Amino acid sequence: MKKPKVLVTRQVASEAISLLKTVAEVDVWERDEPIPRDLLLKRVEEADAILTMLTERVDEELLNRAKQLRVVANMAVGHDNIDLAACKERDIWVTNTPDVLTEATADLAFALLMATGRRLTEANRFLLNGEWTAWSPSLMAGQNVYGSTLGIIGMGRIGEAVARRAKGFGMRILYHNRNRKEQAEAETGAQLASLEVLLRESDYVVLLTPLSEETRLLMGEKEFSWMKPTSVFINVSRGGTVDEGALYQALVKKQIWAAGLDVFQQEPVPANHPLLSLPNVVALPHIGSATEQTRGEMARLAAANIVAVLEGQKPLTAL
């Protein structure tokens, strides 16, 4: 009996590939860069399953070529790269990789908060450039982290994990979410707040919402105008949730103090992006879940979802 075929669009953990090979023939794009669109469309024609990244668009064009596709396993929590409705119409399972990346992403969010608030990357450049010639009381002075107020926009799994870390830093925690999270409130002391109140009162604002039509450009000129001139904005969600032009103006006009960004509207971000020119911006290349252990677990979960479907079972983390 002919084995089904799985297309894997990037190099992933060898354990995940080995798992897939127990039930299928595996076609891996082995370069550590996105598979070209024309090649993706060609290879997907024979695929029963596809293990994708956020960099691949699974849309009508692709689905029309993928006549025997049964499952799309996205190696991410987000799925804004996938047309869920079009997949549902074709009875194609779509899965993601929640939970396994929660703690690593929360670590990164809090590390970015601290690096931005305490000007760590700016201070590092200052030292390496040979500019440190004397100590002074104002040298690279940042903002307090311990005991400050943290506002979390999007109190999902990662938001709750960030709140747990903030509790250890004695922070007052506000959160804005569609639903009240009573367990998180009990565990961390977090308080539900309107978006305006959160932005006006927080010293640090961490954006952790998924990208949807409701959250697209959620943070714009009005929202940044509500923030304190000493406040720090952190985005570890999706680039599309922020009006980058408005953020740039807020930083230049000193409406807010600094920003830490792991995501951008266009990725990879162009080297001449205006935000990258500002000394009070700490920018990272979308590495929220980038630990060896976490990326390995994400790949294994995506593979396990594919194996389940190919064996006639319900996937573990269906959307």
Side-chain angles (χ1 to χ4, degrees):
M1 182 177 177
K2 185 180 178 181
K3 279 188 172 184
K5 180 175 282 189
V6 177
L7 173 60
V8 181
T9 64
R10 201 72 61 84
Q11 287 185 354
V12 297
S14 59
E15 294 91 339
I17 300 300
S18 297
L19 178 58
L20 291 171
K21 286 182 176 179
T22 63
V23 299
E25 178 184 339
V26 183
D27 176 17
V28 182
W29 172 249
E30 294 185 344
R31 297 184 188 177
D32 197 18
E33 59 186 32
I35 182 171
R37 179 70 175 180
D38 59 344
L39 191 55
L40 173 64
L41 293 176
K42 182 174 177 58
R43 290 197 184 186
V44 81
E45 290 177 352
E46 299 180 357
D48 297 273
I50 180 171
L51 195 160
T52 55
M53 314 291 149
L54 288 170
T55 48
E56 282 80 57
R57 287 183 291 108
V58 180
D59 52 15
E60 286 280 359
E61 181 186 31
L62 183 144
L63 294 172
N64 287 336
R65 299 281 289 269
K67 300 297 185 183
Q68 59 196 56
L69 192 62
R70 295 157 60 186
V71 55
V72 177
N74 219 34
M75 195 175 128
V77 171
H79 46 80
D80 45 279
N81 58 313
I82 300 172
D83 188 333
L84 295 180
C87 288
K88 185 175 182 180
E89 287 176 4
R90 294 165 171 81
D91 293 321
I92 296 171
W93 285 104
V94 179
T95 70
N96 66 343
T97 57
D99 298 325
V100 294
L101 53 69
T102 296
E103 300 302 336
T105 307
D107 281 348
L108 188 282
F110 210 82
L112 188 54
L113 179 156
M114 294 188 70
T116 308
R118 292 301 306 271
R119 302 175 67 179
L120 299 187
T121 59
E122 188 181 357
N124 179 251
R125 289 193 299 268
F126 180 84
L127 175 62
L128 295 180
N129 290 339
E131 299 174 62
W132 186 24
T133 57
W135 184 90
S136 76
S138 61
L139 179 65
M140 289 295 154
Q143 300 291 338
N144 283 341
V145 176
Y146 189 89
S148 61
T149 296
L150 170 66
I152 300 173
I153 304 174
M155 196 67 150
R157 297 180 184 89
I158 298 170
E160 291 181 16
V162 170
R164 290 193 294 272
R165 286 154 177 75
K167 181 181 179 182
F169 278 74
M171 300 178 88
R172 175 191 177 213
I173 304 165
L174 303 177
Y175 75 96
H176 179 70
N177 200 62
R178 287 180 297 180
N179 307 306
R180 185 174 179 182
K181 295 297 187 78
E182 294 183 2
Q183 183 175 341
E185 290 178 6
E187 183 180 359
T188 67
Q191 300 171 297
L192 183 65
S194 68
L195 182 60
E196 182 174 355
V197 168
L198 181 150
L199 293 173
R200 289 190 183 280
E201 297 189 11
S202 295
D203 300 301
Y204 294 88
V205 173
V206 178
L207 183 58
L208 288 166
T209 61
L211 179 61
S212 65
E213 288 309 309
E214 182 182 357
T215 63
R216 190 175 299 277
L217 301 182
L218 175 66
M219 290 296 297
E221 182 179 355
K222 178 178 66 175
E223 289 73 24
F224 287 119
S225 73
W226 288 338
M227 294 176 65
K228 301 177 182 180
T230 54
S231 63
V232 174
F233 174 71
I234 305 294
N235 188 11
V236 192
S237 59
R238 287 288 182 272
T241 57
V242 175
D243 181 335
E244 291 179 346
L247 173 58
Y248 177 82
Q249 290 300 320
L251 289 162
V252 169
K253 295 177 180 178
K254 302 188 184 304
Q255 290 178 318
I256 66 174
W257 195 74
L261 309 171
D262 186 44
V263 290
F264 294 84
Q265 288 182 0
Q266 179 184 342
E267 296 182 359
V269 63
N272 63 351
H273 193 295
L275 285 167
L276 301 187
S277 69
L278 301 179
N280 55 343
V281 171
V282 177
L284 302 176
H286 202 152
I287 58 170
S289 62
T291 71
E292 295 279 352
Q293 298 85 351
T294 298
R295 290 284 168 85
E297 286 300 316
M298 292 168 69
R300 284 187 284 272
L301 178 54
N305 278 317
I306 289 173
V307 170
V309 172
L310 294 183
E311 292 188 329
Q313 301 170 17
K314 184 178 179 180
L316 286 71
T317 53
L319 289 168

